[in-house]
């Protein structure tokens, strides 16, 4: 019997162990998509206790606590932090087979030196160990980033953001990790939202463009893109329920936009036509700027309306949307490609059934501008576990070139989530090791090591064009 989460955790073959320890473990981390707060990096926040760093904003954990029958008072309510931590420890005991069990214990091992098991009985011991450790100077936000081996972080930022904290970080010579903005224009696209007109007013104010037409909106967004570009932005990101492709004429789009400005309700078709025009516009602009376009879709958000009204978005009430959009994705990419304006594109679906469809779409739009110009993103959200990652990489290998894969990202709000890169790399090495030891790939450690190093770090540096 193997020891629980020892140095060879998830590594069952000698090849896998060699690839992980000699190659993957030695590579730095490039976190090209996350939701951490740049203000906390700029101010170098120091957490008072483990609950703040572990449970604050982590809807992965909140969701499982609710599943365990924990009252909301101990999840997002005003319960004391020690009591919230106890309830999480009680929940974790039942999370066998869940990635949260692995992630939590990797974080305890790597950042707090705790190699035991967190449960209801050990919660007090772990609470005291973690809180004592958090008082050390090395456990500030910047300290956690540095000891994790991170070289660059892309945050997620709205077009109206001032990027003031990115400026502070960039001008601080004492911190050598790059923290770059990433463009997330969902609020500018989601024309059906009740707060849309208020958002346009804010965008008008920060861009200096009075937005009265769709042409005005495009001009305002171009101004803000140039602003983001001046701060080193290399990537955009879009949260889509599904990929839409319902083209319309310029005149039709202007009429739809005018109708919304007048406070009239749009039909479903009009919303889709507007969003298609919006995405085609920004895609072409990304191509001019050399940015990568990340498309996250396949999500049905905020399903529990009762809790949404209480707690708001991003609180743990989303699920997989089974709508298959490979045809629409192909239409959309083709519309950009037909005028040679397709940017580098990364496609993520929350539905694992889309793996093969995405893998076939990729091959339709590759070119010589960059290896793997159109990528399948890493197993996302509900899929970033051992089975989901293995399935995604296996499908990608079957239908595309796994060696060009740009690898893992945290997609997290926690500064302890960098262990997810370790988790991913162990699963990657186990997958490759099994293929080698089953005689499906030569036992060429140099070639394999290069593949592992590239997927772990090098490919993302090259793909985005980061200056590292």
């Amino acid at each position: 019997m193997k020891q629980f989460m020892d140095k060879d955790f998830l590594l069952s073959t000698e090849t896998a162990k060699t690839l992980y320890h000699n190659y993957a473990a030695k590579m730095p981390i490039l976190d090209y998509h996350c939701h951490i707060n740049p203000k906390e990096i700029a101010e170098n926040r120091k957490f008072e206790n483990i609950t703040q760093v572990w449970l604050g904003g982590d809807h992965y954990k909140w969701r499982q606590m609710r599943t365990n029958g924990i009252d909301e008072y101990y999840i997002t309510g005003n319960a004391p932090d020690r009591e919230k931590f106890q309830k999480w420890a009680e929940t974790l005991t039942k999370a066998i087979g869940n990635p949260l069990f692995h992630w939590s214990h990797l974080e305890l091992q790597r950042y707090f030196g705790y190699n035991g098991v967190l449960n209801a009985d050990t919660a007090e011991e772990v609470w005291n160990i973690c809180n004592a450790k958090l008082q050390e100077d090395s456990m500030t936000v910047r300290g956690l980033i540095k000891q994790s081996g991170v070289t660059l972080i892309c945050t997620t930022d709205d077009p109206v953001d001032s990027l003031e904290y990115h400026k502070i970080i960039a001008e601080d010579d004492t911190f050598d990790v790059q923290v770059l903005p990433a463009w997330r224009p969902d609020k500018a696209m989601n024309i059906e939202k009740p707060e849309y007109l208020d958002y346009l007013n804010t965008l008008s104010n920060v861009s200096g463009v009075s937005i009265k037409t769709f042409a005005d909106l495009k001009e305002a967004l171009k101004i803000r893109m140039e602003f983001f570009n001046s701060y080193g932005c290399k990537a955009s990101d879009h949260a889509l329920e599904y990929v839409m492709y319902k083209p319309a004429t310029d005149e039709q789009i202007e009429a739809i936009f005018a109708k919304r400005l007048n406070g009239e309700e749009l039909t479903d078709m009009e919303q889709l036509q507007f969003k298609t025009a919006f995405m085609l516009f920004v895609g072409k602009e990304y191509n001019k700027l050399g940015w990568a376009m990340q498309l996250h879709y396949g999500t049905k958000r905020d399903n529990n309306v009762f809790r949404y009204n209480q707690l708001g978005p991003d609180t743990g009430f989303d699920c997989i949307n089974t709508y298959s959009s490979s045809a629409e994705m192909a239409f959309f990419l083709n519309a950009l490609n037909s005028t040679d304006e397709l940017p580098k594109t990364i496609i993520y679906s929350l539905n694992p059934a889309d793996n093969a469809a995405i893998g076939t779409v990729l091959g339709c739009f590759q070119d010589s501008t960059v290896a793997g110009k159109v990528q399948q993103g890493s197993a996302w959200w509900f899929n970033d576990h051992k089975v989901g990652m293995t399935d995604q990489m296996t499908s990608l290998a079957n239908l595309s070139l796994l060696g060009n894969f740009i690898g893992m990202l945290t997609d997290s709000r926690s500064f302890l989530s960098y262990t997810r890169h370790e988790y991913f790399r162990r699963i990657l090495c186990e997958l490759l090791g099994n293929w080698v030891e089953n005689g499906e790939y030569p036992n060429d450690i140099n070639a394999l090591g290069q593949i592992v190093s590239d997927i772990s770090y090098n490919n993302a540096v090259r793909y985005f064009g980061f200056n590292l």
Side-chain angles (χ1 to χ4, degrees):
M1 179 185 297
K2 290 187 66 174
Q3 182 180 340
F4 170 64
M5 290 185 67
D6 64 2
K7 67 181 181 66
D8 292 327
F9 172 55
L10 297 178
L11 308 172
S12 65
T13 67
E14 290 306 312
T15 304
K17 294 172 187 177
T18 297
L19 291 176
Y20 178 73
H21 294 299
N22 292 355
Y23 296 94
K26 296 180 179 181
M27 298 304 294
I29 288 173
L30 194 160
D31 196 15
Y32 57 84
H33 175 66
C34 71
H35 297 277
I36 59 175
N37 189 343
K39 180 176 185 289
E40 294 183 335
I41 303 176
E43 296 177 350
N44 201 19
R45 179 182 178 183
K46 196 169 190 177
F47 298 98
E48 296 174 9
N49 60 58
I50 184 60
T51 296
Q52 289 181 2
V53 70
W54 243 15
L55 295 174
D58 193 339
H59 53 81
Y60 280 74
K61 293 187 178 76
W62 296 350
R63 190 178 177 99
Q64 301 310 326
M65 292 170 76
R66 294 183 188 117
T67 302
N68 200 34
I70 304 298
D71 190 276
E72 199 69 28
Y73 171 70
Y74 299 101
I75 304 171
T76 59
N78 295 320
D81 284 349
R82 173 65 185 87
E83 294 180 20
K84 288 184 176 182
F85 182 76
Q86 184 70 33
K87 296 299 183 183
W88 168 241
E90 294 170 5
T91 299
L92 191 63
T93 305
K94 301 179 180 181
I96 184 171
N98 191 293
L100 285 169
F101 193 88
H102 291 154
W103 295 348
S104 296
H105 286 94
L106 277 176
E107 291 168 16
L108 288 173
Q109 288 182 7
R110 300 297 175 261
Y111 297 107
F112 300 99
Y114 181 76
N115 293 298
V117 178
L118 173 60
N119 54 41
D121 295 333
T122 61
E124 178 69 19
E125 174 192 14
V126 177
W127 170 264
N128 291 329
I129 289 172
C130 291
N131 292 348
K133 184 72 174 178
L134 284 170
Q135 303 314 305
E136 298 178 8
D137 291 341
S138 63
M139 297 297 284
T140 62
V141 161
R142 293 189 182 188
L144 291 169
I145 292 170
K146 288 292 293 181
Q147 65 179 285
S148 301
V150 180
T151 61
L152 187 146
I153 296 168
C154 291
T155 57
T156 301
D157 310 278
D158 190 275
V160 303
D161 287 349
S162 68
L163 306 184
E164 59 185 301
Y165 296 110
H166 293 84
K167 185 174 188 294
I168 292 171
I169 297 166
E171 293 176 349
D172 188 345
D173 293 336
T174 66
F175 187 62
D176 61 358
V177 177
Q178 293 187 52
V179 180
L180 305 179
W183 172 269
R184 179 76 169 250
D186 297 349
K187 292 180 180 178
M189 183 189 71
N190 290 335
I191 195 169
E192 78 282 5
K193 298 292 186 182
E195 62 272 16
Y196 187 71
L197 299 185
D198 290 336
Y199 180 81
L200 290 186
N201 287 332
T202 303
L203 181 58
S204 292
N205 290 334
V206 299
S207 67
V209 176
S210 177
I211 302 175
K212 298 179 180 179
T213 65
F214 183 53
D216 293 336
L217 174 60
K218 292 190 287 187
E219 183 61 27
L221 291 172
K222 284 196 285 187
I223 289 171
R224 296 305 294 172
M225 285 185 206
E226 288 295 342
F227 176 67
F228 271 58
N229 199 53
S230 71
Y231 277 79
C233 179
K234 296 285 188 181
S236 67
D237 180 52
H238 297 265
L240 309 171
E241 288 196 3
Y242 46 85
V243 178
M244 69 292 292
Y245 185 69
K246 301 295 180 184
T249 65
D250 292 345
E251 292 76 15
Q252 287 175 309
I253 300 302
E254 288 292 2
I256 292 169
F257 194 72
K259 183 177 177 181
R260 181 67 181 90
L261 289 186
N262 289 333
E264 300 177 51
E265 187 172 339
L266 302 181
T267 66
D268 289 345
M269 178 58 73
E270 287 172 330
Q271 293 176 33
L272 291 177
Q273 288 175 322
F274 175 81
K275 291 180 178 182
T276 297
F278 184 97
M279 291 300 301
L280 289 172
F281 159 70
V282 295
K284 293 175 181 179
E285 293 302 313
Y286 302 155
N287 182 62
K288 293 176 186 175
L289 293 166
W291 291 4
M293 175 172 66
Q294 297 180 89
L295 304 175
H296 286 85
Y297 66 92
T299 309
K300 188 175 183 302
R301 299 177 185 272
D302 307 320
N303 294 285
N304 188 329
V305 176
F306 173 74
R307 287 299 189 192
Y308 176 82
N309 291 335
Q310 286 183 324
L311 304 173
D314 301 320
T315 48
F317 301 101
D318 307 322
C319 70
I320 292 172
N321 185 340
T322 59
Y323 176 84
S324 180
S325 55
S326 58
E328 286 78 4
M329 175 64 73
F331 281 131
F332 172 64
L333 297 181
N334 191 57
L336 293 168
N337 193 65
S338 63
T339 56
D340 196 24
E341 294 177 283
L342 175 65
K344 293 177 288 188
T345 302
I346 310 169
I347 304 171
Y348 310 79
S349 174
L350 197 59
N351 187 352
D354 288 343
N355 281 341
I358 292 172
T360 60
V361 169
L362 305 182
C364 299
F365 299 101
Q366 307 291 11
D367 62 34
S368 61
T369 56
V370 60
K373 177 179 179 178
V374 185
Q375 292 264 340
Q376 180 181 15
S378 61
W380 171 45
W381 197 344
F382 295 128
N383 302 307
D384 55 2
H385 45 72
K386 181 181 177 181
V387 173
M389 291 181 189
T390 301
D391 287 351
Q392 182 266 340
M393 286 189 281
T394 300
S395 179
L396 183 60
N398 288 339
L399 297 168
S400 187
L401 293 178
L402 183 62
N404 285 336
F405 181 33
I406 57 173
M408 190 55 175
L409 65 167
T410 63
D411 194 24
S412 172
R413 292 168 174 80
S414 170
F415 290 97
L416 297 183
S417 292
Y418 299 114
T419 52
R420 294 184 190 179
H421 286 260
E422 176 183 341
Y423 193 62
F424 165 83
R425 292 175 186 184
R426 288 176 178 271
I427 293 168
L428 167 65
C429 292
E430 174 69 0
L431 179 64
L432 300 188
N434 284 332
W435 287 342
V436 170
E437 302 218 5
N438 197 40
E440 298 176 49
Y441 192 88
N443 186 23
D444 183 343
I445 291 299
N446 289 333
L448 290 160
Q450 188 64 56
I451 291 172
V452 167
S453 300
D454 287 346
I455 294 173
S456 297
Y457 183 78
N458 298 329
N459 285 345
V461 175
R462 169 190 52 78
Y463 182 81
F464 289 97
F466 293 127
N467 182 22
L468 290 169

